[in-house]
Amino acid sequence: SFEDEALARYLNDRFIPIKVDREERPEIDQIYMAAVQAMTGQGGWPMSLFLTPEGRPFHGGTYFPNEPRHGMPSFRQVLEGVDRAWREERSEVEAAGVRLVDGLVDRQRLPSGGEPSRELLEAAQGALIQSFDQRNGSWGGAPKFPQPMTLEFLLRRLAAGDDRTAAIVRLTLDKMADGGVHDQLGGGFHRYATDAIWLVPHFEQMLYDNAQLARAYLHAWQQLGEERYREVAEGVLDYMARELMTSDGAFAASQDADTDGVEGATFTWTAAQIREALGDDAGVFVAAYGVTDDGNWEGTNILSRVTLRGDPAAEGHLADLRRRLLDLRAKRPQPARDDKALAAWNGLAIAAFAEASRLPNGPRYRDIAVRAAQAVLAGLRTPDGRLKRSWKDSRATGDGVLEDYANLADGLLVLYGATFDERWFTAARELADAILAHFADPDGGFFDTADDHERLVTRPKDVQDNAVPAGNSMAALVLLRLAALTGEGGYRTAAERAMRLVVGFVDRYPTGFANWLCAIDFALADVNEVAIVANPGDSQVDRLIAPAVEGYRPNQVIAIGDPATSVVPLLGARFAIDGRPTAFVCRNFACRQPVTEPEALAALLYG
């Protein structure tokens, strides 16, 4: 349909066709996807909507074929029918559009569902255990999507002492890491698996998937102590730095699935190619990665790990072979890259690199996060402190939506926790304040567009977590963390009002509200507020804070600085003992006796 020139002429003669990039304009996609779902009971892309001049949708669907098939009309027949209805039955068409828009407005009004509770978290966890795929990990069948937010929630439960989630997390992480959905040579993850066993991916690679998965594997390493998860996290981060970083230090949105029109061409191998490349070493690689002469996909091989891991020497040898093949693969034609840098997705990437700052290669990852934050703020923040959505070729376009503000604020708060450079705290707080000023819904939660955004037929308010966290759930999490760092009750109040909107859904549909579950977990936790009076560059600080940064500590915030000059309220009125770095452990800004030794700090935190 999209390549038929005669069809294009008819479309241009009778309609005003508008193509929307749903990554640049997610709020438009959201409104009209809801319309398609209301009309047809299902959604998906590509999506075609027919609108009145005022933008009200009155007919639509997903893919319409070029010729009638399987009971579906052709796109030409759809166009002819809509054109006839518009000319002959316009009043009825316009009335249908009004009714549909009114229905969309009604559907996004969510009543408050009561207060979040620990019982709610327990019920959500029980639902996840019940629906878990015991054979292949994760939830659901083919196609199989990574669900990093769900894993993050289960890691939080594990950190709180509930061991029932350990096997679920391990199996899912292992199956994904071994499968073809994980680029065994380049380290990144493809968009999803087309099958239920993680073997055959849709080869597109998205920034948001990789940023979230790097963080999930990093947290799993911190919590479970398995070096393999650290290696996977580093591989994902290295992929992002190598393939998605733009010349100015921000991150591009994605890499295509196709190379020269052939899906997966860059990533697949024949057995003959492996033997030619590796010579006498081919046998061990072929056995480890399931390479056969017949192939496992369209006559070629998608690499996946099929043998158990051996001793360190054998694994080191396989790592060398992977590097040799990756160097060879780099000489092939490569998939195209979508170079636009989106504020929201870069926020996720900044958080991932900042969290990795305590790894062996931590200084490098930290520097990447700093450079990306500088690039995004320079390119997408306006003089009045607001955000644009997308940046490419030195040009910023589109007004920032809720997820841009929330995800970037989250990334900057994580970066503050990695560097204790207060410019990142200040920028994050400014973004959060902009959310409260321009996105807040008087009924609770937040609209996806600002109060001064381009006027659309509805003002969308999406609360469901999808491939990326809902702007609402990330805003709630950011506000809760800011409340812990500032003592400002308004931040927590706004977050609590948002969380009440989803209380009736999170336990019934936990994979669709997983980031909300993380926010609720934080809201119900006894958050450790660690204030350390010291110069962040003091060599003694690292020794003192070691107990606070070892392992996985999801319900904790840390501030380091001089109370006399700091802009972080958690540090206010604190003092140093005998000029030494001094730690205060507080809860709700009520602090215990200050300490100067790491052993004493550990006792306060975990005793």
Side-chain angles (χ1 to χ4, degrees), residues 231 416 422 461 464:
E231 293 168 359
Y416 167 70
E422 293 189 356
K461 181 182 177 182
Q464 186 170 340

Side-chain angles (χ1 to χ4, degrees), residues 406-423:
N407 287 3
L408 185 55
D410 175 67
L412 295 173
L413 280 180
V414 177
L415 185 55
Y416 167 70
T419 63
F420 301 106
D421 182 336
E422 293 189 356
R423 60 179 161 155

Side-chain angles (χ1 to χ4, degrees), residues 18-285:
I18 302 170
K19 183 177 180 181
V20 177
D21 182 333
R22 66 187 183 94
E23 294 172 358
E24 290 197 15
R25 296 300 303 269
E27 76 283 15
I28 292 179
D29 175 73
Q30 181 185 330
I31 291 170
Y32 294 118
M33 178 58 72
V36 167
Q37 290 170 332
M39 293 177 199
T40 68
Q42 61 185 8
W45 299 275
M47 174 175 66
S48 295
L49 265 294
F50 295 90
L51 318 177
T52 69
E54 296 79 21
R56 297 190 187 98
F58 60 86
H59 185 70
T62 54
Y63 178 67
F64 295 107
N66 195 35
E67 300 292 340
R69 70 171 73 114
H70 306 305
M72 294 177 60
S74 71
F75 196 35
R76 176 63 179 256
Q77 290 173 324
V78 172
L79 294 174
E80 291 172 344
V82 170
D83 179 49
R84 183 169 55 253
W86 183 249
R87 286 184 286 103
E88 299 175 2
E89 304 169 8
R90 182 171 303 188
S91 61
E92 291 89 341
V93 167
E94 291 179 327
V98 170
R99 288 194 301 272
L100 181 56
V101 170
D102 289 345
L104 295 178
V105 173
D106 289 339
R107 286 175 62 186
Q108 69 181 29
R109 291 195 181 104
L110 297 174
S112 176
E115 298 296 327
S117 65
R118 288 184 171 82
E119 290 75 19
L120 190 70
L121 298 179
E122 178 68 28
Q125 178 178 315
L128 291 170
I129 293 172
Q130 183 78 21
S131 60
F132 181 66
D133 182 346
Q134 299 284 349
R135 179 183 294 274
N136 300 303
S138 195
W139 296 266
K144 202 90 162 181
F145 287 85
Q147 301 203 36
M149 286 172 275
T150 305
L151 293 171
E152 294 280 13
F153 169 62
L154 294 178
L155 283 167
R156 282 175 166 270
R157 300 291 288 172
L158 184 59
D162 193 329
D163 293 336
R164 290 178 297 166
T165 64
I168 289 176
V169 170
R170 289 179 193 272
L171 180 63
T172 303
L173 293 175
D174 289 344
K175 288 290 188 180
M176 288 195 302
D178 285 342
V181 73
H182 182 207
D183 177 4
Q184 300 294 327
L185 303 183
F189 279 85
H190 299 293
R191 179 67 193 94
Y192 60 87
T194 61
D195 53 30
I197 61 173
W198 302 107
L199 175 62
V200 180
H202 173 54
F203 286 90
E204 187 177 26
Q205 295 188 81
M206 309 298 297
L207 175 62
Y208 59 74
D209 283 324
N210 284 281
Q212 293 178 93
L213 285 167
R215 216 170 168 184
Y217 275 94
L218 177 61
H219 292 161
W221 167 67
Q222 292 172 323
Q223 178 62 33
L224 298 169
E226 293 195 15
E227 286 300 307
R228 187 201 178 190
Y229 298 148
R230 176 185 61 79
E231 293 168 359
V232 173
E234 289 180 336
V236 177
L237 293 166
D238 291 343
Y239 156 74
M240 292 164 60
R242 183 181 66 248
E243 302 292 348
L244 295 180
M245 189 187 298
T246 63
S247 59
D248 49 30
F251 289 94
S254 64
Q255 282 185 304
D256 287 355
D258 298 352
T259 303
D260 296 335
V262 180
E263 181 164 3
T266 297
F267 301 96
T268 55
W269 300 80
T270 65
Q273 289 171 329
I274 297 289
R275 294 189 185 101
E276 180 180 359
L278 299 181
D280 294 340
D281 290 321
V284 65
F285 187 89

Side-chain angles (χ1 to χ4, degrees), residues 121 148-154 156 465 473 477 480 499 513-524 552 554-555:
L121 298 179
M149 286 172 275
T150 305
L151 293 171
E152 294 280 13
F153 169 62
L154 294 178
R156 282 175 166 270
D465 298 316
S473 68
L477 197 49
L480 289 168
M499 288 187 291
F513 294 86
N515 199 55
W516 282 108
L517 289 167
C518 294
I520 292 170
D521 179 76
F522 190 97
L524 296 175
Y552 178 48
N555 296 322

Side-chain angles (χ1 to χ4, degrees), residues 149 402-403 406-407 448 462-476 512-513 515-516:
M149 286 172 275
L402 178 61
E403 69 169 10
N407 287 3
D448 291 319
D462 189 13
V463 297
Q464 186 170 340
D465 298 316
N466 291 294
V468 295
N472 266 274
S473 68
M474 187 63 88
F513 294 86
N515 199 55
W516 282 108

